[in-house]
Each structure stands twice: as C-alpha cells, then as structure tokens.
Amino acid sequence: MKMTKLAVTALAGLSAVSMAACSSVGSTGAADSASPSADSGASNKTMVTVVKVKGIAWFDRMDVGVTEWGEENGYDTRTEGGDDVSPEKQIQIIQDLIAQKPAAITVVPNSPEALSAVLAQARQQGIKVVSHEATGIQNVDIDIEAFDNASYGEDIMKNIGECTGGKGKYVQFVGGLTAKTHMEWVDAAYEYQKANFPDMERVETPIESTDNETAAYEKAKEVLGKYPDIAAFQGSAGNDVPGIARAIEEAGLQDKVCVMGTSIPSASAKYLETGSIDKIFFWDPALAGKAQLQIAKILADGGTIEDGTDLGIEGYTSLKKLDGYDNVWVGDAAIAADAEQAKKFDF
C-alpha cells in the first residue's frame, strides 16, 4: 500500500535522465516549398517562444531559460502567451509575430492541430518554427521532446502501481484533451496499468483541468465525493498535482491516496512535505526553452539536426530521432523526485 511504496521509492533514489530533442530538417505541409524572406536567417537576431499560458510556474521557469539563452547567444528573445490555454489566443499571438518577421518562432502548443495552419503561414515567410510537447504536429521544421513520451507515462504508472500495491481505483488529469503530450502520457500509463496492474481500475476518462490549479482542486473534490474509495490520482499539467493535493490534504487522505504526476519542485514542495503529493515527474522547462532556441539557431544558420547532435544543453547532448516521425527528436531530460529528492532543485 501507500506507505510501503513510499519506503521503496525513498530507497530508489533520484531518476534523472538528460534528454535531447531536435528534429530533422525535413518538414511537412505546404510550407516546405517556401523560400526564406530577406529578414530571416542569421542576420535577424529576434526569436520568440510562444508558451501555453503565461503566469504559471512552469512557463515562468521556461522564460528564465529563454532569456538566458538570448543573453548568451546575442539574440533578442522573449516568451509570449495568453492568460488561459485557449488555442485561439496562441493563433492570434503567432499571427501578430508573423508580421514582425522574427528569425524563429518556437511554440508549446495547446492544440497542435489548431496551430497547424498559422505555423504554415510563418514558414511561408521564411520564419523557422520549432515546437515542443507536440509530437506529430504539422508545419514545423522540428519538434523537440524532452524524452520519449510513452516511456514517461509508463514510468509514472509504474510508480503509482507500486504506491497503491497494484490495487484500487484511479483517475487521470490532463490540461486539455487536445494537449498532445498529456494524452500520450495518460494513454501510455493506462495501457501499462492494464498490462501490469490488472487489479487497478481507471474509473473516468481523462479529466480536463485547463492547467488551472483551482480547477484541478475543484475537480479532485468531485472525484473524492463520487469515489470515496479512490486510491490514486495522476496529474499531467503542471498545476494538476498541486490542485489535487490541496483537495487530498483538506480531506485528510494524504496517507491513503497516492498522488503523482508532472510538476516542478517549487510548485509542489509544500505538498510533497506533507505527503499529499507522493512523487513528481518533470524536466527543466528552462533547459527545454533553451533547446528549442538552439535548434532554431542551427536551422537559421543553415545547419541540420542529426542523430547524436549535441545542443550543448544538459539533457539534450545526444539527440535521437523518434521512430515513426521525420522531424521529431528527443532528448533524455526526465527527472523523478520524492520530497527529499525535490529539495535538490532550485526551481
């Protein structure tokens, strides 16, 4: 059960793997035949990163990396994003950026499908486009993933199953059903559960939180009311597990219900300390921001991404192409931490 699992994971130590993700120079869509504009390429020193939403800890951390990379490489860099996870707001931001003709736009899409057309427009203007958390997205030069998403989801479920003793009901939260990587994580976790923990039961299809801590909290309370014998929660968006943990703590269930998923230490620390969160899984958003920009620079300078490409960024020192895709590259940047291990990180 939970306390036994915690003892096991405490001995397991920190699982931190550095991963690099780039993408091939091959791309898809109508933009492939586009010729660069005079304002693009190495002569243009502006690159903009469009994040899912501004003002949350995860993307505040990515902003740190974006700013640092610009200072280190002599580029004008910044992050832009909406005040919620609406794909329409990302589309408008990208349309406005196209008119400014930066050398590159890097993007963490709320809906890869919804952004495909506007990203094609950017590439038609000679703007390099690099995405993150968007496996399979169309009309980008490269998609960079911090790790193989299926393996990441399986690892989370392996830990949840150990925590619950392989039994009981559970639910999964995602920022949105259109959030590509979130759905890949929970789908892989679900398949792993069915194959390895047959006595566990997922009692709901993935629940949307809109990457909002209050929304996650309210929906977790609904789950607790509907399933008083719930054994575990899996969170995907950075705000999911803190919101879920708040509901667990208020109900006094921190020693009975397992809570695990994606978050960063600064957002989860107080709940890790109380046991309302058992373990978090993450990668450093600052380094992911830098990796996107470094790839964009390589492309803008006329270079290519190949197997083994070293971006000079921790976790992205030997990129590998993801099987089944022409332009998706992965690094080895996954980290897992319990309460004690999370103290080693300053973000």
Side-chain angles (χ1 to χ4, degrees):
M1 299 304 289
K2 175 172 181 177
M3 298 309 293
T4 301
K5 156 67 175 65
L6 289 177
V8 172
T9 55
L11 294 172
L14 176 63
S15 162
V17 196
S18 218
M19 203 187 279
C22 321
S23 146
S24 79
V25 288
S27 34
T28 59
D32 287 345
S33 59
S35 59
S37 72
D39 291 329
S40 68
S43 63
N44 187 331
K45 292 293 188 177
T46 299
M47 294 186 181
V48 183
T49 299
V50 180
V51 299
K52 289 184 178 181
V53 61
K54 290 283 278 186
I56 65 172
W58 189 274
F59 291 112
D60 287 348
R61 176 64 179 173
M62 183 170 285
D63 186 72
V64 170
V66 166
T67 300
E68 288 181 353
W69 185 92
E71 293 172 349
E72 293 163 357
N73 291 275
Y75 276 75
D76 176 11
T77 54
R78 67 185 188 274
T79 59
E80 293 194 11
D83 56 4
D84 60 38
V85 294
S86 163
E88 291 74 21
K89 291 184 179 178
Q90 285 191 312
I91 291 170
Q92 184 59 60
I93 289 168
I94 294 169
Q95 286 175 335
D96 292 343
L97 289 173
I98 290 171
Q100 300 170 32
K101 293 187 177 179
I105 295 173
T106 70
V107 59
V108 189
N110 288 311
S111 170
E113 293 78 13
L115 265 60
S116 178
V118 73
L119 294 178
Q121 294 171 22
R123 296 184 68 218
Q124 287 165 357
Q125 295 300 314
I127 299 169
K128 298 301 180 184
V129 178
V130 177
S131 62
H132 177 57
E133 292 191 57
T135 307
I137 188 172
Q138 300 295 303
N139 297 319
V140 303
D141 292 286
I142 286 180
D143 176 69
I144 174 71
E145 301 296 319
F147 39 69
D148 177 78
N149 288 310
S151 296
Y152 182 77
E154 290 171 356
D155 190 41
I156 294 173
M157 181 51 65
K158 178 181 178 182
N159 280 269
I160 289 174
E162 291 172 352
C163 183
T164 64
K167 299 179 180 179
K169 300 173 181 177
Y170 74 98
V171 293
Q172 299 171 309
F173 280 41
V174 293
L177 298 177
T178 61
K180 178 73 172 179
T181 52
H182 293 188
M183 294 303 296
E184 288 180 331
W185 300 339
V186 298
D187 287 347
Y190 181 45
E191 292 303 318
Y192 188 90
Q193 172 264 304
K194 290 190 293 182
N196 295 277
F197 302 116
D199 292 331
M200 292 182 66
E201 176 190 6
R202 187 177 76 170
V203 292
E204 300 274 352
T205 55
I207 299 167
E208 291 185 283
S209 68
T210 66
D211 203 352
N212 181 288
E213 185 173 330
T214 300
Y217 162 71
E218 294 291 349
K219 293 190 176 186
K221 288 201 300 182
E222 292 175 10
V223 170
L224 291 173
K226 189 174 180 180
Y227 306 101
D229 57 345
I230 196 81
F233 288 79
Q234 176 186 348
S236 301
N239 283 312
D240 285 352
V241 289
I244 294 165
R246 179 180 163 197
I248 293 296
E249 195 163 280
E250 286 184 0
L253 295 173
Q254 54 265 42
D255 291 335
K256 296 181 179 179
V257 179
C258 299
V259 177
M260 297 187 185
T262 303
S263 190
I264 56 176
S266 62
S268 302
K270 65 180 180 180
Y271 296 116
L272 283 163
E273 284 297 318
T274 65
S276 300
I277 296 174
D278 296 282
K279 201 168 191 178
I280 56 172
F281 301 77
F282 59 103
W283 63 104
D284 187 343
L287 298 181
K290 290 184 177 184
Q292 294 171 74
L293 292 167
Q294 185 64 29
I295 290 171
K297 181 180 185 298
I298 290 171
L299 298 181
D301 289 345
T304 61
I305 302 300
E306 303 173 349
D307 277 323
T309 291
D310 181 356
L311 297 182
I313 297 165
E314 182 181 357
Y316 302 86
T317 57
S318 182
L319 301 184
K320 293 181 172 53
K321 184 182 286 187
L322 185 62
D323 289 344
Y325 298 92
D326 290 333
N327 66 341
V328 181
W329 295 78
V330 299
D332 186 17
I335 304 168
D338 60 18
E340 192 60 32
Q341 295 155 357
K343 295 176 183 178
K344 299 177 182 178
F345 300 92
D346 60 358
F347 61 90

